[in-house]
Amino acid sequence: MISKEEVEHIAKLARLELTEEEIIKMQADMSAILDYFALLQKAPKITERPAFAKGYGEARKDEILPRDAGLVEKLIKATPDKKDDYIKVKTIL
Amino acid sequence: MDLTTLTIREAHEGLKNGDFTSVDLTKAYLKKIKDFDGELNAFLSVTEKLALEQAIRVDERIALSGVEGHDFSMLCGIPCAIKDAIMVEGEKCTAGSKILENYVAPYDATVIKKLKEQGAIILGKTNTDEFTMGSSTENSAFGVTKNPHDKTRVAGGSSGGSAAAVAANMACYTLGSDTGGSIRQPASLCGVVGLCPTYGAVSRYGLIAHASSLDQIGPFAKNIEDAKIVFDSIKGKDSMDATSAELNLESLNAKPYNLKAMRIGVPKEYFSEGVEPEVEKIIKSVIKKAEDAGAEIVGISLPSTEFALACYYVIDPSEISANLARFDGIKYGLSGPAENLLEVYLKSRGKGLGAEVKRRIMLGTYCLSSGYYDAYYKKAQEVRQLIREDFAKAFDLPAGGVDLLFCPVSPFPAFKIGEKINGPLSMYLADIYTIPTKLAGLPGLSLPVGKIGELPVGLQIIGNHFEENKILAIASELEKMLS
């Protein structure tokens, strides 16, 4: 069983605010799922480095492409807090 | 005549012959949605204005093609619906989440761009588990989609809205996305055709990301021919998705596939104690029919299958924890009132995200955190390699392998609403037969092959990478045999 403190620590890393009730439920759910993951240790070991997405992954050139001017407007419109064409955030320093 | 029962080809012929217009078709579907969706909840939004505008324009195009004597594309004028995780410019795209409740898509996904170029009519956006995480749409922030065959049961998920919409004739075809089984499982539970293409076959640009090494877009349709028409229209390389690949399907098309020349593998691990006896009976009887039609049936083993679910639930949440970091209360959607920047993140995500999404973010963060990375994430990647090798061996034809695999899509038919919602692990088990192929990036299809009472059961046909044509050809032959 993972501890309540561990759940709180992970939630902080994940930037999630959890209620007291959610923390208790999360502790039980995560523990059951993590216990199930122990099964993986029974799998045969492999010596070779696993191939990540083999055969794919040709990145396009990092070029600035002209896009419809309205797109900028739409992207900014989607932000919850803005002033003119700027996205507002809380003071960082 | 009820226009909403027509297949894509039938509707295309009707448009060509002038039996009805695209506006007629579109209005027939909009009426179906109005009459039936109040109860089913397959749609999160109905884009009536967009659909009718598109239909009017398309009718002009069709009339012109009649005058000029040239044909128009198969999807031209045919109404469809789109999973609400795929962006349609100017329309809401919620991904089933409260955090995106009022988010309006700023551009079209590549698949939408392709459909629009063909003249497709978009009726609306369909329900999904929040951020496509789930197997029943019960994780949607906007209510569960009910199964058209039994309204006390789920339609499956996460693309449950797309599956139910086709099953209830509220769209001629739909698009969904499959990360662990989210196309095949709801297709099986709703009794429609669902194709999850090979990883890389269809561009994901404009699909709200769940787990990027697994996500894939694919069609739901009334029959195999329709599924193929839609798949052919959306597939192919896209510079906006680096994982997309050019498919050389022309050469595959040149070779006709039939059951007589097929070696069909039946993996014993997919008929273990978890599968309901009635489901097993239906699948086995289809396999027998394939054998009677001349296919060679080979019992095979995929020994790493038992690790697949655990492997998936390490990799999937790990990718989620990274992908969903973008929902921070600043760039889009819901933002909680806060004193400082950290509080903006904590409160926006705390308020905006639902229980299953939070659970997976937490699991992923845990699996990737210092001290646990090797035991979980790295180990899971190694196991993923074992699963890939199992399938590579199974499909190695020169070494005595098979052409296709036949197995169930889901161990059980549609389950009761609320039955599995409190036990995350029991819900995860709903995808036990669809997850292994995803880890290997393989294509899979759900074909309706029988019923338990009113509840449909799907056969899963799995093929090697980019062998969608082989899957579709054999599925089409089976479809004819079973009808």
Side-chain angles (χ1 to χ4, degrees), chain B residues 35-46:
Chain B
D35 290 348
F36 294 98
D37 200 48
E39 205 181 349
L40 292 175
N41 196 34
F43 282 82
L44 291 182
S45 58
V46 179

PDB file of all heavy atoms in Angstrom, chain B residues 35-46:
ATOM      1  N   ASP B  35     -34.764  12.909 -32.771  1.00  0.00           N
ATOM      2  CA  ASP B  35     -35.751  11.970 -32.229  1.00  0.00           C
ATOM      3  C   ASP B  35     -35.157  10.985 -31.224  1.00  0.00           C
ATOM      4  O   ASP B  35     -35.825  10.570 -30.290  1.00  0.00           O
ATOM      5  CB  ASP B  35     -36.416  11.175 -33.370  1.00  0.00           C
ATOM      6  CG  ASP B  35     -37.324  12.051 -34.216  1.00  0.00           C
ATOM      7  OD1 ASP B  35     -37.595  13.183 -33.778  1.00  0.00           O
ATOM      8  OD2 ASP B  35     -37.727  11.619 -35.313  1.00  0.00           O
ATOM      9  N   PHE B  36     -33.920  10.561 -31.452  1.00  0.00           N
ATOM     10  CA  PHE B  36     -33.389   9.451 -30.647  1.00  0.00           C
ATOM     11  C   PHE B  36     -32.235   9.796 -29.726  1.00  0.00           C
ATOM     12  O   PHE B  36     -31.951   9.066 -28.790  1.00  0.00           O
ATOM     13  CB  PHE B  36     -32.963   8.289 -31.569  1.00  0.00           C
ATOM     14  CG  PHE B  36     -34.115   7.653 -32.271  1.00  0.00           C
ATOM     15  CD1 PHE B  36     -34.431   7.994 -33.575  1.00  0.00           C
ATOM     16  CD2 PHE B  36     -34.920   6.738 -31.601  1.00  0.00           C
ATOM     17  CE1 PHE B  36     -35.521   7.420 -34.216  1.00  0.00           C
ATOM     18  CE2 PHE B  36     -36.016   6.160 -32.228  1.00  0.00           C
ATOM     19  CZ  PHE B  36     -36.316   6.500 -33.538  1.00  0.00           C
ATOM     20  N   ASP B  37     -31.543  10.904 -29.997  1.00  0.00           N
ATOM     21  CA  ASP B  37     -30.324  11.100 -29.211  1.00  0.00           C
ATOM     22  C   ASP B  37     -30.582  11.620 -27.799  1.00  0.00           C
ATOM     23  O   ASP B  37     -29.709  11.506 -26.939  1.00  0.00           O
ATOM     24  CB  ASP B  37     -29.299  11.979 -29.932  1.00  0.00           C
ATOM     25  CG  ASP B  37     -27.911  11.751 -29.350  1.00  0.00           C
ATOM     26  OD1 ASP B  37     -27.551  10.557 -29.211  1.00  0.00           O
ATOM     27  OD2 ASP B  37     -27.233  12.724 -28.998  1.00  0.00           O
ATOM     28  N   GLY B  38     -31.751  12.165 -27.566  1.00  0.00           N
ATOM     29  CA  GLY B  38     -32.072  12.594 -26.209  1.00  0.00           C
ATOM     30  C   GLY B  38     -31.898  11.448 -25.233  1.00  0.00           C
ATOM     31  O   GLY B  38     -31.381  11.626 -24.126  1.00  0.00           O
ATOM     32  N   GLU B  39     -32.260  10.260 -25.679  1.00  0.00           N
ATOM     33  CA  GLU B  39     -32.169   9.085 -24.832  1.00  0.00           C
ATOM     34  C   GLU B  39     -30.784   8.434 -24.869  1.00  0.00           C
ATOM     35  O   GLU B  39     -30.265   7.987 -23.861  1.00  0.00           O
ATOM     36  CB  GLU B  39     -33.223   8.088 -25.295  1.00  0.00           C
ATOM     37  CG  GLU B  39     -33.649   7.140 -24.219  1.00  0.00           C
ATOM     38  CD  GLU B  39     -34.691   6.145 -24.737  1.00  0.00           C
ATOM     39  OE1 GLU B  39     -35.219   6.349 -25.852  1.00  0.00           O
ATOM     40  OE2 GLU B  39     -34.947   5.181 -24.039  1.00  0.00           O
ATOM     41  N   LEU B  40     -30.187   8.384 -26.085  1.00  0.00           N
ATOM     42  CA  LEU B  40     -28.922   7.646 -26.232  1.00  0.00           C
ATOM     43  C   LEU B  40     -27.693   8.445 -25.805  1.00  0.00           C
ATOM     44  O   LEU B  40     -26.711   7.890 -25.342  1.00  0.00           O
ATOM     45  CB  LEU B  40     -28.748   7.196 -27.688  1.00  0.00           C
ATOM     46  CG  LEU B  40     -29.717   6.120 -28.192  1.00  0.00           C
ATOM     47  CD1 LEU B  40     -29.489   5.868 -29.681  1.00  0.00           C
ATOM     48  CD2 LEU B  40     -29.532   4.819 -27.402  1.00  0.00           C
ATOM     49  N   ASN B  41     -27.706   9.748 -26.021  1.00  0.00           N
ATOM     50  CA  ASN B  41     -26.563  10.614 -25.686  1.00  0.00           C
ATOM     51  C   ASN B  41     -25.284  10.232 -26.430  1.00  0.00           C
ATOM     52  O   ASN B  41     -24.197  10.187 -25.851  1.00  0.00           O
ATOM     53  CB  ASN B  41     -26.317  10.622 -24.171  1.00  0.00           C
ATOM     54  CG  ASN B  41     -25.428  11.781 -23.722  1.00  0.00           C
ATOM     55  OD1 ASN B  41     -25.494  12.874 -24.295  1.00  0.00           O
ATOM     56  ND2 ASN B  41     -24.586  11.560 -22.719  1.00  0.00           N
ATOM     57  N   ALA B  42     -25.420   9.943 -27.727  1.00  0.00           N
ATOM     58  CA  ALA B  42     -24.237   9.646 -28.540  1.00  0.00           C
ATOM     59  C   ALA B  42     -23.533  10.931 -28.971  1.00  0.00           C
ATOM     60  O   ALA B  42     -22.341  10.933 -29.231  1.00  0.00           O
ATOM     61  CB  ALA B  42     -24.631   8.838 -29.769  1.00  0.00           C
ATOM     62  N   PHE B  43     -24.296  12.031 -29.039  1.00  0.00           N
ATOM     63  CA  PHE B  43     -23.722  13.296 -29.528  1.00  0.00           C
ATOM     64  C   PHE B  43     -23.476  14.272 -28.378  1.00  0.00           C
ATOM     65  O   PHE B  43     -24.319  14.437 -27.501  1.00  0.00           O
ATOM     66  CB  PHE B  43     -24.676  13.951 -30.540  1.00  0.00           C
ATOM     67  CG  PHE B  43     -24.627  13.313 -31.903  1.00  0.00           C
ATOM     68  CD1 PHE B  43     -25.342  12.148 -32.161  1.00  0.00           C
ATOM     69  CD2 PHE B  43     -23.860  13.860 -32.914  1.00  0.00           C
ATOM     70  CE1 PHE B  43     -25.283  11.546 -33.418  1.00  0.00           C
ATOM     71  CE2 PHE B  43     -23.803  13.263 -34.171  1.00  0.00           C
ATOM     72  CZ  PHE B  43     -24.518  12.101 -34.420  1.00  0.00           C
ATOM     73  N   LEU B  44     -22.323  14.922 -28.414  1.00  0.00           N
ATOM     74  CA  LEU B  44     -22.059  16.008 -27.457  1.00  0.00           C
ATOM     75  C   LEU B  44     -22.465  17.337 -28.071  1.00  0.00           C
ATOM     76  O   LEU B  44     -22.841  18.266 -27.369  1.00  0.00           O
ATOM     77  CB  LEU B  44     -20.578  16.031 -27.062  1.00  0.00           C
ATOM     78  CG  LEU B  44     -20.124  14.848 -26.212  1.00  0.00           C
ATOM     79  CD1 LEU B  44     -18.656  15.006 -25.827  1.00  0.00           C
ATOM     80  CD2 LEU B  44     -20.973  14.691 -24.961  1.00  0.00           C
ATOM     81  N   SER B  45     -22.364  17.439 -29.399  1.00  0.00           N
ATOM     82  CA  SER B  45     -22.889  18.628 -30.065  1.00  0.00           C
ATOM     83  C   SER B  45     -23.341  18.254 -31.461  1.00  0.00           C
ATOM     84  O   SER B  45     -22.795  17.337 -32.082  1.00  0.00           O
ATOM     85  CB  SER B  45     -21.838  19.742 -30.118  1.00  0.00           C
ATOM     86  OG  SER B  45     -20.688  19.289 -30.789  1.00  0.00           O
ATOM     87  N   VAL B  46     -24.392  18.919 -31.915  1.00  0.00           N
ATOM     88  CA  VAL B  46     -24.893  18.687 -33.268  1.00  0.00           C
ATOM     89  C   VAL B  46     -24.573  19.949 -34.070  1.00  0.00           C
ATOM     90  O   VAL B  46     -24.950  21.055 -33.687  1.00  0.00           O
ATOM     91  CB  VAL B  46     -26.417  18.414 -33.254  1.00  0.00           C
ATOM     92  CG1 VAL B  46     -26.931  18.188 -34.670  1.00  0.00           C
ATOM     93  CG2 VAL B  46     -26.718  17.197 -32.383  1.00  0.00           C
TER      94      VAL B  46
END
